[in-house]
Amino acid sequence: MKSIILVLLIYTCTVLGSKHYVVSKEKATWHDAFNHCKANGTQLVSVANRTDYHHLQTFIAKRLNCTEKCAVWIGANDLATKGTFTWVATGRRVEFTNWKPKKKLDNVSKAREEHCIEVLYYLKRSYRWHWRKSECRRKRYYVCEKVHT
């Protein structure tokens, strides 16, 4: 019974179409987030198109109550080949993106060049659910998904 209560305190979930989304209430590194999702039979979220992304960002905003700043890991990185972002769930190249236009997108120090993708809502810097490269070791909220077929 204790483990069930713990899961409810850590995650908030919803079903949208054929996808079951789970957002953490605790922050983790990208690798820890990946492992948490996998241990629970899910995967870090992948985004196929703008409609899916709109549903996802609305879900995140409501569940985390983002009013000023939220950063959330999704399941994309360029760890295999620098500059080529792929979805960890499928190994496929990222096609749909939501980078902030005409700005340097990195949150990566020159010493550590890990590039995991975060979704960032930060009004002060005009990020409104834009994607940004960030060091995988940083702690962020994260979204897991399970696709029902």
Side-chain angles (χ1 to χ4, degrees):
M1 186 68 161
K2 287 183 183 179
S3 63
I4 292 171
I5 293 169
L6 178 61
V7 170
L8 292 175
L9 291 175
I10 296 174
Y11 299 105
T12 304
C13 60
T14 195
V15 176
L16 295 171
S18 65
K19 293 184 177 185
H20 181 152
Y21 293 114
V22 181
V23 65
S24 68
K25 288 193 175 188
E26 301 292 327
K27 295 179 181 181
T29 66
W30 188 93
H31 296 286
D32 286 343
F34 171 83
N35 290 329
H36 289 166
C37 291
K38 189 174 179 179
N40 288 295
T42 60
Q43 60 198 15
L44 278 171
V45 68
S46 299
V47 183
N49 55 53
R50 183 158 303 282
T51 301
D52 284 353
Y53 191 63
H54 175 72
H55 291 305
L56 179 64
Q57 74 186 39
T58 301
F59 169 67
I60 294 168
K62 286 180 183 176
R63 293 302 187 257
L64 294 179
N65 194 25
C66 297
T67 56
E68 188 177 320
K69 183 178 180 181
C70 283
V72 180
W73 290 128
I74 59 175
N77 66 48
D78 72 346
L79 299 178
T81 305
K82 186 177 176 180
T84 302
F85 290 92
T86 57
W87 296 111
V88 293
T90 62
R92 291 182 147 176
R93 190 175 184 153
V94 172
E95 292 183 20
F96 169 82
T97 62
N98 195 43
W99 303 112
K100 186 175 178 188
K102 300 180 184 178
K103 289 282 182 183
K104 186 174 178 174
L105 304 170
D106 296 347
N107 187 23
V108 180
S109 72
K110 302 245 187 273
R112 290 184 75 96
E113 298 244 355
E114 296 179 319
H115 299 151
C116 292
I117 303 299
E118 67 183 9
V119 175
L120 183 63
Y121 180 82
Y122 190 18
L123 284 179
K124 200 175 199 179
R125 298 242 172 107
S126 299
Y127 280 93
R128 288 177 175 77
W129 303 112
H130 292 101
W131 295 13
R132 183 170 76 163
K133 294 189 288 186
S134 189
E135 292 176 2
C136 303
R137 67 181 173 83
R138 294 179 184 268
K139 291 190 175 185
R140 305 286 188 242
Y141 297 106
Y142 55 95
V143 178
C144 304
E145 72 177 346
K146 184 167 193 155
V147 179
H148 301 283
T149 54

